[in-house]
Amino acid sequence: MQQLQKDRYTTRLNKKPEQIDRRERVIHAKRGSSPPISPSLIQDFERDGFVVLEDVFSPKEVARMRGTANEMRDYPASLSDETVISERDSGAVRSVFAIHRQTSDFDVVARDPRLADVARYILGDEVYIHQSRLNYKPAFKGKEFYWHSDFETWHAEDGMPNMRALSMSVMLTDNHPQAGPVMFVPGSHETFISCVGETPDDNYKSSLKRQETGIPDADSIAQLVDEGGIVAPAPKAGSVVIFDCNTLHASNGNITPFERMNAFFVFNAWSNRLEKPFAAKSPRPEHIAHRRVESPLAPLSRVTGKVGRSSS
Ligand code: 6CS
Ligand code: FE
């Protein structure tokens, strides 16, 4: 495995935290291409680092996805063991990874033009799925996700060279403001916070339950929050929240009776495929960071719902 590109975002290698200005554009769209969604939503994403698309999927489509998600949680024996992450204390299912590889329902969602075409436009390239997962935030027991930049982890532990990736979170339940919705810091995507603390071996075995390495320092978080505030969208089921790979985000625990279930698809630009980890001895396993991808994501033709051409 090689490191072809220079490390432009050193992290976990220095003794002191540091803030590095983002080097890439946020919107990589090719000149003259028009967005598949309203330009004002693209502007919001560019300014804030996230945007909410309301009512993307119909109640019928959401019900189907939620049925599949419930089945995966209730009968995890049908899934590969290592993809099922439980909560650190209660044992309740916290996440399931590689959902587009384990179920055709979520494979079709990942290829849906309502998601993939928006990713191709924003990333200005063919795309593939770097990671997919279902995050269950079970009623009463859902634990928090502390403040972090996804890119910091994907750069340090997965070898993602540049900031040319984004997450799409499909709401499978109504997100109630009190049930631990994802909180974003608007504008934080423009600053890379270099974290202190080397990556332990097999870090992913604990970090997916509670991240303790690659955590930004409190002063940097406070400064970015001071500049941009904290916004916690709590959209209805069927909505999609798109956020840039470097937008600072977190979510509180869920002690309400309302479960919060989101399906996440991380689209990476084909030109930004993974290299050797920039700050870890060995790469994370395939089910968390996809390396074995022969070709870009095949479009799903809207009419037939079939995959356009064979691709992984
Ligand atoms: O480590 C990761 O890749 C995952 N962890 C978090 C907290 N967000 C991004 C991603 O799913
Ligand atoms: Fe995250």
Side-chain angles (χ1 to χ4, degrees), residues 131 133 135 145-146 148-150 154 167 182 211 243 247 249-250 264:
Q131 178 185 99
R133 69 190 185 283
N135 272 358
F145 284 82
Y146 190 72
H148 65 282
S149 148
D150 293 340
W154 298 339
S167 291
V182 181
Q211 188 173 353
F243 54 107
T247 305
H249 61 287
F264 286 80

Side-chain angles (χ1 to χ4, degrees), residues 252-264:
N252 287 314
N254 179 15
I255 55 170
T256 72
F258 317 117
E259 73 172 339
R260 187 216 81 179
M261 204 189 280
N262 299 353
F264 286 80

Side-chain angles (χ1 to χ4, degrees), residues 3 6-18 20 152 155-157 192-200 213-215 276-281:
Q3 198 142 63
K6 198 168 126 10
D7 183 356
R8 311 200 307 183
Y9 297 104
T10 48
T11 186
R12 307 189 192 183
L13 302 173
N14 301 329
K15 294 261 174 289
K16 281 196 315 50
E18 194 193 336
I20 302 171
E152 194 280 342
H155 183 71
E157 299 188 56
F192 179 78
I193 303 173
S194 173
C195 301
V196 177
E198 282 197 6
T199 308
T213 306
I215 293 286
K276 198 163 97 38
F278 286 86
K281 287 199 203 83

Side-chain angles (χ1 to χ4, degrees), residues 62-74:
V62 173
R64 184 185 169 100
M65 288 188 244
R66 201 164 53 241
T68 305
N70 286 332
E71 220 169 281
M72 291 161 77
R73 179 189 51 200
D74 303 342

